PDB file of all heavy atoms in Angstrom:
ATOM      1  N   LEU E 893    -113.769 -33.403 -55.940  1.00  0.00           N
ATOM      2  CA  LEU E 893    -114.766 -32.441 -56.404  1.00  0.00           C
ATOM      3  C   LEU E 893    -116.028 -32.525 -55.563  1.00  0.00           C
ATOM      4  O   LEU E 893    -116.587 -31.502 -55.134  1.00  0.00           O
ATOM      5  CB  LEU E 893    -115.091 -32.702 -57.873  1.00  0.00           C
ATOM      6  CG  LEU E 893    -116.108 -31.754 -58.522  1.00  0.00           C
ATOM      7  CD1 LEU E 893    -115.545 -30.350 -58.591  1.00  0.00           C
ATOM      8  CD2 LEU E 893    -116.485 -32.241 -59.924  1.00  0.00           C
ATOM      9  N   LYS E 894    -116.474 -33.741 -55.300  1.00  0.00           N
ATOM     10  CA  LYS E 894    -117.703 -33.918 -54.529  1.00  0.00           C
ATOM     11  C   LYS E 894    -117.551 -33.458 -53.089  1.00  0.00           C
ATOM     12  O   LYS E 894    -118.513 -32.985 -52.474  1.00  0.00           O
ATOM     13  CB  LYS E 894    -118.121 -35.391 -54.586  1.00  0.00           C
ATOM     14  CG  LYS E 894    -118.530 -35.847 -55.984  1.00  0.00           C
ATOM     15  CD  LYS E 894    -118.809 -37.342 -56.035  1.00  0.00           C
ATOM     16  CE  LYS E 894    -119.150 -37.780 -57.451  1.00  0.00           C
ATOM     17  NZ  LYS E 894    -119.368 -39.254 -57.548  1.00  0.00           N
ATOM     18  N   ALA E 895    -116.328 -33.587 -52.553  1.00  0.00           N
ATOM     19  CA  ALA E 895    -116.098 -33.169 -51.164  1.00  0.00           C
ATOM     20  C   ALA E 895    -116.070 -31.653 -51.030  1.00  0.00           C
ATOM     21  O   ALA E 895    -116.369 -31.118 -49.959  1.00  0.00           O
ATOM     22  CB  ALA E 895    -114.790 -33.756 -50.656  1.00  0.00           C
ATOM     23  N   GLY E 896    -115.716 -30.963 -52.102  1.00  0.00           N
ATOM     24  CA  GLY E 896    -115.694 -29.505 -52.048  1.00  0.00           C
ATOM     25  C   GLY E 896    -114.345 -28.864 -52.266  1.00  0.00           C
ATOM     26  O   GLY E 896    -114.212 -27.643 -52.116  1.00  0.00           O
ATOM     27  N   LEU E 897    -113.310 -29.633 -52.651  1.00  0.00           N
ATOM     28  CA  LEU E 897    -112.027 -29.027 -52.973  1.00  0.00           C
ATOM     29  C   LEU E 897    -112.173 -28.204 -54.251  1.00  0.00           C
ATOM     30  O   LEU E 897    -112.883 -28.597 -55.178  1.00  0.00           O
ATOM     31  CB  LEU E 897    -110.949 -30.092 -53.161  1.00  0.00           C
ATOM     32  CG  LEU E 897    -110.487 -30.827 -51.893  1.00  0.00           C
ATOM     33  CD1 LEU E 897    -109.418 -31.856 -52.246  1.00  0.00           C
ATOM     34  CD2 LEU E 897    -109.947 -29.850 -50.858  1.00  0.00           C
ATOM     35  N   ARG E 898    -111.483 -27.060 -54.306  1.00  0.00           N
ATOM     36  CA  ARG E 898    -111.634 -26.141 -55.417  1.00  0.00           C
ATOM     37  C   ARG E 898    -110.271 -25.714 -55.961  1.00  0.00           C
ATOM     38  O   ARG E 898    -109.278 -25.738 -55.238  1.00  0.00           O
ATOM     39  CB  ARG E 898    -112.392 -24.879 -54.958  1.00  0.00           C
ATOM     40  CG  ARG E 898    -113.803 -25.159 -54.444  1.00  0.00           C
ATOM     41  CD  ARG E 898    -114.736 -25.548 -55.584  1.00  0.00           C
ATOM     42  NE  ARG E 898    -116.088 -25.812 -55.108  1.00  0.00           N
ATOM     43  CZ  ARG E 898    -116.565 -27.018 -54.864  1.00  0.00           C
ATOM     44  NH1 ARG E 898    -115.791 -28.080 -55.049  1.00  0.00           N
ATOM     45  NH2 ARG E 898    -117.805 -27.190 -54.453  1.00  0.00           N
ATOM     46  N   PRO E 899    -110.205 -25.305 -57.226  1.00  0.00           N
ATOM     47  CA  PRO E 899    -108.942 -24.789 -57.763  1.00  0.00           C
ATOM     48  C   PRO E 899    -108.431 -23.631 -56.910  1.00  0.00           C
ATOM     49  O   PRO E 899    -109.200 -22.748 -56.527  1.00  0.00           O
ATOM     50  CB  PRO E 899    -109.332 -24.315 -59.164  1.00  0.00           C
ATOM     51  CG  PRO E 899    -110.523 -25.136 -59.526  1.00  0.00           C
ATOM     52  CD  PRO E 899    -111.279 -25.323 -58.242  1.00  0.00           C
ATOM     53  N   GLY E 900    -107.141 -23.644 -56.638  1.00  0.00           N
ATOM     54  CA  GLY E 900    -106.549 -22.577 -55.850  1.00  0.00           C
ATOM     55  C   GLY E 900    -106.423 -22.882 -54.373  1.00  0.00           C
ATOM     56  O   GLY E 900    -105.698 -22.181 -53.649  1.00  0.00           O
ATOM     57  N   ASP E 901    -107.110 -23.911 -53.895  1.00  0.00           N
ATOM     58  CA  ASP E 901    -107.000 -24.271 -52.481  1.00  0.00           C
ATOM     59  C   ASP E 901    -105.552 -24.619 -52.143  1.00  0.00           C
ATOM     60  O   ASP E 901    -104.895 -25.369 -52.867  1.00  0.00           O
ATOM     61  CB  ASP E 901    -107.890 -25.484 -52.156  1.00  0.00           C
ATOM     62  CG  ASP E 901    -109.368 -25.122 -52.077  1.00  0.00           C
ATOM     63  OD1 ASP E 901    -109.677 -23.926 -52.057  1.00  0.00           O
ATOM     64  OD2 ASP E 901    -110.198 -26.051 -52.037  1.00  0.00           O
ATOM     65  N   ILE E 902    -105.062 -24.086 -51.032  1.00  0.00           N
ATOM     66  CA  ILE E 902    -103.698 -24.362 -50.575  1.00  0.00           C
ATOM     67  C   ILE E 902    -103.739 -25.487 -49.553  1.00  0.00           C
ATOM     68  O   ILE E 902    -104.470 -25.414 -48.567  1.00  0.00           O
ATOM     69  CB  ILE E 902    -103.069 -23.110 -49.938  1.00  0.00           C
ATOM     70  CG1 ILE E 902    -103.051 -21.948 -50.939  1.00  0.00           C
ATOM     71  CG2 ILE E 902    -101.649 -23.415 -49.449  1.00  0.00           C
ATOM     72  CD1 ILE E 902    -102.680 -20.621 -50.307  1.00  0.00           C
ATOM     73  N   ILE E 903    -102.972 -26.539 -49.777  1.00  0.00           N
ATOM     74  CA  ILE E 903    -102.956 -27.667 -48.849  1.00  0.00           C
ATOM     75  C   ILE E 903    -102.111 -27.316 -47.635  1.00  0.00           C
ATOM     76  O   ILE E 903    -100.912 -27.063 -47.745  1.00  0.00           O
ATOM     77  CB  ILE E 903    -102.411 -28.935 -49.528  1.00  0.00           C
ATOM     78  CG1 ILE E 903    -103.340 -29.339 -50.671  1.00  0.00           C
ATOM     79  CG2 ILE E 903    -102.295 -30.081 -48.521  1.00  0.00           C
ATOM     80  CD1 ILE E 903    -102.869 -30.537 -51.436  1.00  0.00           C
ATOM     81  N   MET E 904    -102.750 -27.300 -46.483  1.00  0.00           N
ATOM     82  CA  MET E 904    -102.068 -26.937 -45.242  1.00  0.00           C
ATOM     83  C   MET E 904    -101.624 -28.162 -44.443  1.00  0.00           C
ATOM     84  O   MET E 904    -100.556 -28.174 -43.833  1.00  0.00           O
ATOM     85  CB  MET E 904    -103.003 -26.085 -44.368  1.00  0.00           C
ATOM     86  CG  MET E 904    -103.586 -24.871 -45.086  1.00  0.00           C
ATOM     87  SD  MET E 904    -102.327 -23.671 -45.562  1.00  0.00           S
ATOM     88  CE  MET E 904    -101.885 -23.038 -43.947  1.00  0.00           C
ATOM     89  N   ALA E 905    -102.464 -29.208 -44.447  1.00  0.00           N
ATOM     90  CA  ALA E 905    -102.155 -30.398 -43.652  1.00  0.00           C
ATOM     91  C   ALA E 905    -102.821 -31.615 -44.268  1.00  0.00           C
ATOM     92  O   ALA E 905    -103.854 -31.514 -44.940  1.00  0.00           O
ATOM     93  CB  ALA E 905    -102.628 -30.215 -42.209  1.00  0.00           C
ATOM     94  N   VAL E 906    -102.210 -32.768 -44.059  1.00  0.00           N
ATOM     95  CA  VAL E 906    -102.778 -34.049 -44.465  1.00  0.00           C
ATOM     96  C   VAL E 906    -102.817 -34.935 -43.229  1.00  0.00           C
ATOM     97  O   VAL E 906    -101.782 -35.152 -42.578  1.00  0.00           O
ATOM     98  CB  VAL E 906    -101.952 -34.715 -45.576  1.00  0.00           C
ATOM     99  CG1 VAL E 906    -102.543 -36.084 -45.925  1.00  0.00           C
ATOM    100  CG2 VAL E 906    -101.912 -33.831 -46.823  1.00  0.00           C
ATOM    101  N   ASN E 907    -104.000 -35.410 -42.889  1.00  0.00           N
ATOM    102  CA  ASN E 907    -104.185 -36.215 -41.668  1.00  0.00           C
ATOM    103  C   ASN E 907    -103.591 -35.512 -40.460  1.00  0.00           C
ATOM    104  O   ASN E 907    -102.887 -36.104 -39.628  1.00  0.00           O
ATOM    105  CB  ASN E 907    -103.578 -37.609 -41.844  1.00  0.00           C
ATOM    106  CG  ASN E 907    -104.359 -38.449 -42.839  1.00  0.00           C
ATOM    107  OD1 ASN E 907    -105.573 -38.301 -42.975  1.00  0.00           O
ATOM    108  ND2 ASN E 907    -103.667 -39.327 -43.552  1.00  0.00           N
ATOM    109  N   ASP E 908    -103.868 -34.192 -40.386  1.00  0.00           N
ATOM    110  CA  ASP E 908    -103.458 -33.326 -39.270  1.00  0.00           C
ATOM    111  C   ASP E 908    -101.948 -33.089 -39.196  1.00  0.00           C
ATOM    112  O   ASP E 908    -101.455 -32.475 -38.244  1.00  0.00           O
ATOM    113  CB  ASP E 908    -103.944 -33.888 -37.927  1.00  0.00           C
ATOM    114  CG  ASP E 908    -105.459 -33.940 -37.833  1.00  0.00           C
ATOM    115  OD1 ASP E 908    -106.108 -33.017 -38.356  1.00  0.00           O
ATOM    116  OD2 ASP E 908    -105.988 -34.904 -37.255  1.00  0.00           O
ATOM    117  N   GLU E 909    -101.192 -33.518 -40.189  1.00  0.00           N
ATOM    118  CA  GLU E 909     -99.753 -33.270 -40.234  1.00  0.00           C
ATOM    119  C   GLU E 909     -99.486 -32.043 -41.100  1.00  0.00           C
ATOM    120  O   GLU E 909     -99.908 -31.969 -42.251  1.00  0.00           O
ATOM    121  CB  GLU E 909     -99.004 -34.473 -40.809  1.00  0.00           C
ATOM    122  CG  GLU E 909     -97.494 -34.275 -40.868  1.00  0.00           C
ATOM    123  CD  GLU E 909     -96.758 -35.450 -41.476  1.00  0.00           C
ATOM    124  OE1 GLU E 909     -97.433 -36.451 -41.824  1.00  0.00           O
ATOM    125  OE2 GLU E 909     -95.522 -35.378 -41.618  1.00  0.00           O
ATOM    126  N   ASP E 910     -98.784 -31.068 -40.541  1.00  0.00           N
ATOM    127  CA  ASP E 910     -98.478 -29.826 -41.238  1.00  0.00           C
ATOM    128  C   ASP E 910     -97.650 -30.104 -42.493  1.00  0.00           C
ATOM    129  O   ASP E 910     -96.642 -30.804 -42.435  1.00  0.00           O
ATOM    130  CB  ASP E 910     -97.696 -28.903 -40.285  1.00  0.00           C
ATOM    131  CG  ASP E 910     -97.478 -27.509 -40.874  1.00  0.00           C
ATOM    132  OD1 ASP E 910     -97.978 -27.237 -41.976  1.00  0.00           O
ATOM    133  OD2 ASP E 910     -96.802 -26.699 -40.200  1.00  0.00           O
ATOM    134  N   MET E 911     -98.082 -29.559 -43.641  1.00  0.00           N
ATOM    135  CA  MET E 911     -97.378 -29.776 -44.897  1.00  0.00           C
ATOM    136  C   MET E 911     -96.426 -28.626 -45.252  1.00  0.00           C
ATOM    137  O   MET E 911     -95.825 -28.630 -46.331  1.00  0.00           O
ATOM    138  CB  MET E 911     -98.385 -29.958 -46.041  1.00  0.00           C
ATOM    139  CG  MET E 911     -99.185 -31.247 -45.972  1.00  0.00           C
ATOM    140  SD  MET E 911     -98.161 -32.735 -46.211  1.00  0.00           S
ATOM    141  CE  MET E 911     -98.024 -33.324 -44.507  1.00  0.00           C
ATOM    142  N   THR E 912     -96.264 -27.671 -44.347  1.00  0.00           N
ATOM    143  CA  THR E 912     -95.346 -26.561 -44.609  1.00  0.00           C
ATOM    144  C   THR E 912     -93.933 -27.087 -44.855  1.00  0.00           C
ATOM    145  O   THR E 912     -93.393 -27.851 -44.059  1.00  0.00           O
ATOM    146  CB  THR E 912     -95.314 -25.587 -43.416  1.00  0.00           C
ATOM    147  OG1 THR E 912     -96.636 -25.113 -43.162  1.00  0.00           O
ATOM    148  CG2 THR E 912     -94.387 -24.411 -43.710  1.00  0.00           C
ATOM    149  N   GLY E 913     -93.353 -26.687 -45.967  1.00  0.00           N
ATOM    150  CA  GLY E 913     -91.991 -27.101 -46.281  1.00  0.00           C
ATOM    151  C   GLY E 913     -91.881 -28.472 -46.916  1.00  0.00           C
ATOM    152  O   GLY E 913     -90.780 -28.895 -47.296  1.00  0.00           O
ATOM    153  N   LYS E 914     -92.983 -29.181 -47.055  1.00  0.00           N
ATOM    154  CA  LYS E 914     -92.952 -30.515 -47.654  1.00  0.00           C
ATOM    155  C   LYS E 914     -92.875 -30.413 -49.179  1.00  0.00           C
ATOM    156  O   LYS E 914     -93.381 -29.474 -49.788  1.00  0.00           O
ATOM    157  CB  LYS E 914     -94.195 -31.319 -47.260  1.00  0.00           C
ATOM    158  CG  LYS E 914     -94.392 -31.514 -45.764  1.00  0.00           C
ATOM    159  CD  LYS E 914     -93.318 -32.392 -45.159  1.00  0.00           C
ATOM    160  CE  LYS E 914     -93.627 -32.674 -43.685  1.00  0.00           C
ATOM    161  NZ  LYS E 914     -92.562 -33.477 -43.045  1.00  0.00           N
ATOM    162  N   THR E 915     -92.264 -31.410 -49.789  1.00  0.00           N
ATOM    163  CA  THR E 915     -92.209 -31.462 -51.249  1.00  0.00           C
ATOM    164  C   THR E 915     -93.491 -32.103 -51.786  1.00  0.00           C
ATOM    165  O   THR E 915     -94.276 -32.700 -51.038  1.00  0.00           O
ATOM    166  CB  THR E 915     -91.008 -32.297 -51.715  1.00  0.00           C
ATOM    167  OG1 THR E 915     -91.200 -33.657 -51.299  1.00  0.00           O
ATOM    168  CG2 THR E 915     -89.713 -31.758 -51.122  1.00  0.00           C
ATOM    169  N   LEU E 916     -93.667 -32.015 -53.097  1.00  0.00           N
ATOM    170  CA  LEU E 916     -94.816 -32.678 -53.716  1.00  0.00           C
ATOM    171  C   LEU E 916     -94.782 -34.176 -53.440  1.00  0.00           C
ATOM    172  O   LEU E 916     -95.805 -34.802 -53.182  1.00  0.00           O
ATOM    173  CB  LEU E 916     -94.818 -32.432 -55.225  1.00  0.00           C
ATOM    174  CG  LEU E 916     -95.341 -31.079 -55.700  1.00  0.00           C
ATOM    175  CD1 LEU E 916     -95.230 -30.974 -57.202  1.00  0.00           C
ATOM    176  CD2 LEU E 916     -96.766 -30.841 -55.263  1.00  0.00           C
ATOM    177  N   ASP E 917     -93.578 -34.749 -53.502  1.00  0.00           N
ATOM    178  CA  ASP E 917     -93.433 -36.176 -53.233  1.00  0.00           C
ATOM    179  C   ASP E 917     -93.875 -36.510 -51.819  1.00  0.00           C
ATOM    180  O   ASP E 917     -94.547 -37.522 -51.577  1.00  0.00           O
ATOM    181  CB  ASP E 917     -91.970 -36.589 -53.445  1.00  0.00           C
ATOM    182  CG  ASP E 917     -91.784 -38.093 -53.449  1.00  0.00           C
ATOM    183  OD1 ASP E 917     -92.754 -38.808 -53.754  1.00  0.00           O
ATOM    184  OD2 ASP E 917     -90.673 -38.558 -53.147  1.00  0.00           O
TER     185      ASP E 917
END
Side-chain angles (χ1 to χ4, degrees):
L893 181 66
K894 294 174 183 177
L897 289 180
R898 299 289 180 262
D901 285 349
I902 302 170
I903 297 178
M904 307 295 289
V906 177
N907 291 329
D908 297 323
E909 181 182 358
D910 187 3
M911 291 294 103
T912 303
K914 301 293 185 183
T915 65
L916 281 178
D917 191 25

